[in-house]
Amino acid sequence: MGKKYAAITGVSGYVPEDVLTNKDLEKMVETNDEWIVSRTGIKQRHILKEPGKATSDMCLEAAKQLLEKTNTRPEEIELVIVGTVTADFVFPDTANILASKLGAVNAYGFDVNAACSGFLFSLITASKFIEAGTHKKILVCGADKMSSILNYEDRTTCILFGDGAGAVLLEPSDKPGITDAILKGDGSGAEYLHMKAGGSLNPATIETVQNKEHAVYQEGRVVFKYAVKGMADTIAQVMERNGLSNDDIDWLIPHQANKRIIYSVADQLDFPHEKVLVNIENYGNTTAATIPLVLRDFEDKFKKGDKIMLTAFGGGFTWGSVLIEWSY
Ligand code: UT7
């Protein structure tokens, strides 16, 4: 019996209708459109405003489209993995809530908390269940309702993030799909990007709420440097051990945190900008959703067999690069 590979056989995404533009943010904090665009590339982001809606609801919209597109019945899904830092609850996980809402009655699930690398960590986890031969249809989502953990008085973070969800279907294939991956973590980076309160270290109190400690805290400059190095290094390592040069890679899809980070990574590798896919201007940083949203937006460009490098860096620190071959 030949080796089983895991392949992405469909992709979809969802962003909420409400849009928060840079002009809107100018009325909320001391900032301006020119600063945001030149420093980050972001022009607008989508915000989930509807009361009673959470991360699982954005995943649900993406998942419904995905099942329709791939002609899959919800009962066929065996496992649901959701990469997110904005789970509906601290517990239970979002994946099982999503499975129930979707009618995936034969599935079980769990969440993966790897911040902006959440989609890549989820994808690689899922690929192992397929490669082991125990699962045939896995729903992998990357989704975050970042607006639920932002301090809209902090101009250094609130301008960066948006809400959204992306989803892929992972199935067995005889040909390489998820071809190779290097994933990394370094918990000593936690101090530069984290949420101060709400976990078991600092449970919620009146003070933590008053001090706005239930929001993203980031030391942007430090994270910027680690992000460029982490993504560039792991891309280079994956390319080297697969004997690939820039010419062999059809598309580079980086996590969308900052346009300057994205093109710095490309420049470190002398990678041509035309093959770097970017949609940050429309959504901002949607954390675990950025990569599947790029896959969705640029799906029409991909040809079967295209070699695509996915790369991400985020809180944890977590980072890594994944080489895939497009399978449809
Ligand atoms: O996705 C998870 C991983 N996260 C990332 O990869 C994000 C990494 N970091 C970044 O993308 C960038 O560091 C930021 C976009 C967060 C900030 O850009 P920067 O070029 O590193 O700016 P900075 O923090 O060095 O700030 C430069 C100046 C400061 O003013 P002074 O001290 O030079 O007078 C800031 O106070 O810009 C000021 N500033 C702003 N000005 C207008 C900071 N935020 C704003 C703002 N509007 N929103």
Side-chain angles (χ1 to χ4, degrees):
M1 211 174 64
K3 179 174 163 39
K4 267 199 190 67
Y5 294 95
I8 293 175
T9 54
V11 58
S12 72
Y14 171 81
V15 289
E17 256 173 51
D18 280 299
V19 167
L20 183 67
T21 64
N22 293 349
K23 284 276 168 221
D24 295 329
L25 282 161
E26 284 180 6
K27 294 178 208 135
M28 297 159 69
V29 287
E30 184 70 44
T31 191
N32 57 78
D33 177 58
E34 196 278 326
W35 191 96
I36 300 175
V37 172
S38 64
R39 295 290 177 125
T40 71
I42 301 166
K43 292 185 178 151
Q44 61 170 43
R45 57 299 283 140
H46 292 250
I47 305 292
L48 183 58
K49 283 196 175 157
E50 211 180 321
K53 296 283 181 192
T55 295
S56 67
D57 298 294
M58 294 192 292
C59 289
L60 179 64
E61 293 306 318
K64 282 200 287 199
Q65 288 169 32
L66 180 68
L67 295 194
E68 199 180 317
K69 220 171 131 176
T70 55
N71 248 326
T72 308
R73 285 176 293 115
E75 312 87 69
E76 292 179 84
I77 301 293
E78 297 157 312
L79 173 58
V80 177
I81 302 181
V82 177
T84 188
V85 289
T86 51
D88 291 19
F89 301 98
V90 171
F91 82 92
D93 66 289
T94 307
N96 286 296
I97 295 173
L98 168 63
S100 287
K101 286 180 176 172
L102 188 62
V105 290
N106 297 313
Y108 67 100
F110 54 86
D111 295 356
V112 169
N113 182 333
C116 299
S117 310
F119 178 73
L120 294 191
F121 279 44
S122 301
L123 185 69
I124 294 309
T125 305
S127 73
K128 302 302 170 195
F129 286 84
I130 300 275
E131 288 166 13
T134 54
H135 294 65
K136 292 202 165 48
K137 286 188 195 290
I138 305 182
L139 171 64
V140 181
C141 297
D144 274 295
K145 183 182 169 184
M146 293 306 292
S147 62
S148 68
I149 56 163
L150 289 175
N151 172 3
Y152 282 98
E153 290 170 6
D154 174 9
R155 68 176 184 172
T156 69
T157 51
C158 74
I159 56 119
L160 298 171
F161 297 93
D163 301 340
V168 301
L169 186 65
L170 214 61
E171 294 185 87
S173 162
D174 296 335
K175 301 222 172 67
I178 312 296
T179 310
D180 196 14
I182 293 178
L183 301 181
K184 299 271 191 183
D186 178 0
S188 70
E191 65 179 288
Y192 305 112
L193 179 51
H194 65 287
M195 193 161 97
K196 289 186 185 299
S200 59
L201 181 63
N202 295 311
T205 62
I206 288 170
E207 288 74 30
T208 63
V209 173
Q210 282 169 344
N211 295 336
K212 308 221 181 275
E213 290 174 2
H214 297 270
V216 173
Y217 169 85
Q218 175 171 246
E219 292 180 32
R221 263 183 245 190
V222 180
V223 178
F224 191 115
K225 280 188 213 143
Y226 280 103
V228 174
K229 182 167 169 26
M231 289 190 277
D233 284 355
T234 50
I235 293 170
Q237 287 159 15
V238 171
M239 281 173 63
E240 196 191 335
R241 77 182 188 189
N242 287 275
L244 301 173
S245 71
N246 285 346
D247 290 342
D248 300 313
I249 304 291
D250 295 289
W251 306 106
L252 173 61
I253 302 184
H255 166 55
Q256 312 278 304
N258 185 326
K259 217 172 203 171
R260 288 186 297 137
I261 295 179
I262 291 171
Y263 289 119
S264 299
V265 169
D267 291 344
Q268 287 230 340
L269 301 162
D270 286 324
F271 195 85
H273 288 199
E274 316 83 76
K275 295 199 289 183
V276 183
L277 300 181
V278 176
N279 64 3
I280 192 172
E281 61 276 12
N282 296 325
Y283 311 122
N285 182 350
T286 54
T287 303
T290 60
I291 290 175
L293 283 174
V294 174
L295 288 172
R296 182 208 50 177
D297 285 1
F298 293 95
E299 187 186 16
D300 289 350
K301 278 182 177 285
F302 307 148
K303 293 190 298 292
K304 197 172 176 174
D306 273 4
K307 287 190 171 55
I308 305 177
M309 185 71 79
L310 313 175
T311 189
F313 186 94
F317 291 142
T318 54
W319 70 100
S321 296
V322 173
L323 177 67
I324 65 173
E325 269 186 42
W326 200 245
S327 66
Y328 61 94

